[in-house]
Amino acid sequence: MVSPPHVAVIGGGSTGTGIARDLSMRGLDVTLVEQGNLTHGTTGRMHGLLHSGGRYAVADQASATECIEENRVLRDIAAHCVEMTGGLFVKRPEDSEAYFEKKLRGCAACDIPAEVVSAEEARAMEPHLATDIDKAISVPDGAVDPFRLVVANAASAQEHGARIETHSEVTDLVVEDGEVVGLTVDHASGAGRRVHGTEGGTETIRTDYVVNATGAWAGRIGDMAGVDIEVRPSKGVMTVMNSRQVDTVINRCRPKGDADIIVPHETTCILGTTDEEVDDPEDYPEEQWEVDAMLDTLSELVPMLADARTIRSFWGVRPLYEPPDVGSDDPTDITRDYFLLDHAERDGLAGMTSIVGGKFTTYRMMGEEISDHVCEKFGIDAACRTADVPLPGSQEFSVLRDYMDEFGLRSPVGRRSVERLGSRAEEVLQTDGPNPVVCGCEGVTRAEIQDAIAQSGSDLNAVRIRTRASMGNCQGGFCCHRLASELHESYDEVTTRSAWDELLTERWTGQRHALWGEQLSQAMLNYALQATTQNRDRDPADGDPVEFDAFDSGPNRSGGQAPTGVATDGGGDRGD
């Protein structure tokens, strides 16, 4: 029997894991490598919008049509990752009536269900909208958990035989006789599940084909093979609020601009965003004025945001791409469509294809197209099934409420556990031992934590993205040590403390631009608990303290040290 082709997929975001799932379901031998955790790049730094296509219905109707098509698919195959909140495009008095009508016509042209609602009807849906809005357009936007979705895709790929390697950086491509035939990979802690303190190593993975799905990093992979992939990274800031000020996705109905969307996401709202081209997807400034702009501008739609509590901000980089002959000056003019670059046809380099551009909502469609492309290369006639087969956790999702009744889950904590786990609830929650809440803000139980540890090894940040533990209002102040204690049955003290420190460092990252008012008080309490009571700054009883990144000023994106006191005044007028 002839062995199936071995395909290496570089990149563990939504596109990469979607490709790995699709190819492995078609019977190919797949290895996925990711330099960090799953969702390390753009996927883990987005606002969680499941696009209806309405945002592109005027300027980019091809992308809008793709969005509404995939919106419908994801509601079916990823039900436990999606909350259909609905969306409103809200017009203020100063916004263009002509543009409002264009938006409405554009939605109709792209088959996006859209309905005009009056100001009174809009405020009945969302009472905290400004009292002087004119009207709105209702569309089927939703919220999606990108972490849960990507993990589910990776799990499905593994179920179909794929090998998934995280914390494994590609350092070179193996090119022989004008063809890519393999990868050189540095594993941070050896192959397989990550275990802190385990010695890493270098591996050469021989392949029959390579798919470059690294998004904003695609150019770096291209450089390793001597081909140019001119991705234009564009950064955008997202600000996370302490609660859901709205339960519907709120968009500003006006042409392109910054700070024009509010996405209700789990227990929070995420405000977005900006669009500024950068040279490097890992080295760019994160500036306080960007956060202030989110709050100041979006409070025109929802006034209570002006005084609301923020808990952190984060920046992501869009992997924008356009053909070289287009030459747009403004990143907001660049299409959000995706492009498949066959390097054999384009550059005379066989054995590799890159996929660039696109959006989170269309990840599955992108995976299908490039999987069709790879199968055609090998003469394989295998149909795509990813639009029809539910992801792990979304099978028979109609039994969700039955699980809640079966386990007596009438409390909010229990219901949230089942909503996160979906159809895996019985498998995870049926346990003989006690199942206390480990993370109170997000209502995450021990059974969920132990299930995530079984998938992730000692990597508590991988546990975090699988469960949302430590992602609530306290930002891990009351649960990071509890998460670390859950490692003790399987890992020694040195490994556990290393994993704990890494989680603390990640949780403090992003809070710098939210340190005012109540959140500053929360941060000081967290510091007292973590650095002092738990001695995580390792301050000895006598002698000089040991430096620990989580509690210093921290490096900024440009490589220098952040100025003393940065962001503690919230950019000026939020100092009280």
Side-chain angles (χ1 to χ4, degrees):
M1 182 177 177
V2 178
S3 299
H6 181 206
V7 180
V9 179
I10 311 174
S14 56
T15 304
T17 56
I19 295 166
R21 181 191 190 219
D22 197 330
L23 288 172
S24 61
M25 288 176 73
R26 300 191 201 205
L28 281 74
D29 183 14
V30 177
T31 298
L32 181 145
V33 291
E34 161 57 49
Q35 64 177 330
N37 259 321
L38 297 176
T39 74
H40 169 81
T42 304
T43 299
R45 294 175 170 271
M46 50 92 72
H47 44 42
L49 175 65
L50 179 65
H51 279 279
S52 65
R55 287 176 68 82
Y56 306 125
V58 174
D60 192 350
Q61 292 192 346
S63 293
T65 301
E66 293 170 355
C67 282
I68 189 59
E69 291 174 358
E70 290 301 295
N71 174 300
R72 294 176 176 124
V73 172
L74 292 182
R75 289 187 233 171
D76 289 336
I77 69 164
H80 79 297
C81 305
V82 172
E83 179 186 359
M84 283 311 297
T85 62
L88 292 173
F89 280 88
V90 179
K91 179 185 177 300
R92 287 189 47 79
E94 62 270 28
D95 297 334
S96 165
E97 177 67 27
Y99 184 79
F100 186 92
E101 294 299 326
K102 282 184 179 180
K103 180 74 73 177
L104 201 57
R105 291 194 299 271
C107 287
C110 299
D111 194 28
I112 301 168
E115 179 184 355
V116 177
V117 297
S118 68
E120 292 74 19
E121 291 170 324
R123 284 197 297 273
M125 297 167 63
E126 289 297 339
H128 297 303
L129 284 172
T131 58
D132 61 344
I133 64 169
D134 277 352
K135 53 186 174 180
I137 300 171
S138 174
V139 296
D141 282 336
V144 60
D145 188 320
F147 307 112
R148 199 177 303 162
L149 184 74
V150 167
V151 168
N153 273 278
S156 177
Q158 282 185 309
E159 288 175 359
H160 289 88
R163 175 187 175 191
I164 307 293
E165 293 288 347
T166 60
H167 300 279
S168 299
E169 182 179 2
V170 175
T171 57
D172 202 3
L173 297 179
V174 180
V175 180
E176 297 176 357
D177 299 324
E179 180 178 3
V180 178
V181 296
L183 319 170
T184 302
V185 178
D186 278 352
H187 298 292
S189 64
R193 292 185 307 169
R194 185 183 183 201
V195 178
H196 288 75
T198 302
E199 184 176 355
T202 300
E203 178 184 8
T204 298
I205 301 174
R206 303 290 293 193
T207 67
D208 296 304
Y209 208 78
V210 172
V211 175
N212 175 13
T214 55
W217 287 260
R220 295 186 180 182
I221 300 299
D223 289 344
M224 295 176 189
V227 296
D228 289 330
I229 306 172
E230 296 182 358
V231 176
R232 295 176 60 175
S234 172
K235 73 166 181 173
V237 65
M238 272 65 67
T239 296
V240 185
M241 310 307 293
N242 72 315
S243 64
R244 288 173 64 134
Q245 285 80 13
V246 296
D247 291 312
T248 306
V249 175
I250 303 298
N251 303 268
R252 183 78 175 262
C253 191
R254 63 181 182 186
K256 61 184 182 183
D258 293 341
D260 63 354
I261 188 169
I262 308 167
V263 182
H265 186 73
E266 297 283 341
T267 58
T268 68
C269 276
I270 300 179
L271 315 186
T273 182
T274 50
D275 199 343
E276 183 179 347
E277 196 162 354
V278 297
D279 294 327
D280 190 315
E282 292 182 348
D283 186 8
Y284 52 84
E286 298 176 349
E287 301 181 78
Q288 184 64 39
W289 69 263
E290 298 173 277
V291 177
D292 292 344
M294 294 299 103
L295 295 164
D296 292 341
T297 304
L298 284 167
S299 63
E300 296 173 5
L301 290 179
V302 181
M304 69 181 302
L305 290 174
D307 300 314
R309 174 180 167 191
T310 67
I311 58 175
R312 69 189 294 114
S313 292
F314 60 91
W315 280 254
V317 178
R318 304 171 188 86
L320 302 182
Y321 180 87
E322 65 179 6
D325 58 340
V326 176
S328 299
D329 293 326
D330 188 335
T332 61
D333 292 330
I334 299 175
T335 179
R336 268 45 177 175
D337 205 353
Y338 61 88
F339 297 84
L340 189 152
L341 309 180
D342 183 336
H343 294 292
E345 296 179 1
R346 181 177 180 267
D347 306 295
L349 177 72
M352 184 170 81
T353 293
S354 297
I355 188 159
V356 291
K359 300 163 296 304
F360 178 87
T361 298
T362 59
Y363 87 90
R364 192 214 60 82
M365 178 184 287
M366 296 164 68
E368 178 177 354
E369 182 166 332
I370 200 162
S371 296
D372 287 344
H373 172 78
V374 172
C375 286
E376 184 180 351
K377 291 278 185 183
F378 293 99
I380 295 173
D381 183 14
C384 175
R385 296 187 292 134
T386 59
D388 303 311
V389 179
L391 287 162
S394 288
Q395 302 101 326
E396 298 183 32
F397 196 67
S398 61
V399 303
L400 175 62
R401 300 299 168 184
D402 294 338
Y403 283 139
M404 292 184 179
D405 294 337
E406 179 181 344
F407 296 118
L409 297 176
R410 289 180 289 275
S411 74
V413 168
R415 297 181 78 86
R416 292 207 65 218
S417 293
V418 174
E419 286 168 353
R420 276 191 295 267
L421 293 166
S423 59
R424 296 186 62 243
E426 183 175 17
E427 170 192 344
V428 175
L429 295 178
Q430 277 192 338
T431 174
D432 295 332
N435 189 24
V437 173
V438 176
C439 170
C441 293
E442 294 294 318
V444 184
T445 64
R446 171 175 289 166
E448 293 174 83
I449 299 298
Q450 288 297 332
D451 175 64
I453 289 171
Q455 301 173 48
S456 311
S458 67
D459 190 337
L460 290 177
N461 277 307
V463 171
R464 172 181 60 82
I465 68 173
R466 284 164 170 79
T467 63
R468 288 190 60 82
S470 79
M471 294 176 71
N473 279 356
C474 80
Q475 291 292 286
F478 300 138
C479 69
C480 282
H481 62 291
R482 296 175 184 167
L483 293 171
S485 73
E486 293 296 319
L487 295 174
H488 82 277
E489 292 185 1
S490 303
Y491 300 100
D492 62 21
E493 179 182 352
V494 173
T495 299
T496 297
R497 288 186 179 276
S498 178
W500 185 9
D501 288 347
E502 186 176 77
L503 177 63
L504 288 177
T505 300
E506 194 286 331
R507 288 291 76 197
W508 279 94
T509 302
Q511 292 189 57
R512 182 185 309 155
H513 298 280
L515 297 181
W516 68 76
E518 292 181 351
Q519 193 60 27
L520 179 57
S521 299
Q522 177 71 62
M524 292 305 296
L525 175 59
N526 288 359
Y527 180 83
L529 289 170
Q530 295 168 347
T532 306
T533 305
Q534 299 163 14
N535 198 32
R536 299 318 301 145
D537 62 353
R538 305 184 186 88
D539 191 0
D542 55 8
D544 295 329
V546 178
E547 292 185 3
F548 178 41
D549 288 345
F551 301 124
D552 66 16
S553 59
N556 59 29
R557 287 281 184 178
S558 58
Q561 289 294 310
T564 302
V566 65
T568 55
D569 65 352
D573 60 355
R574 294 188 172 88
D576 59 354

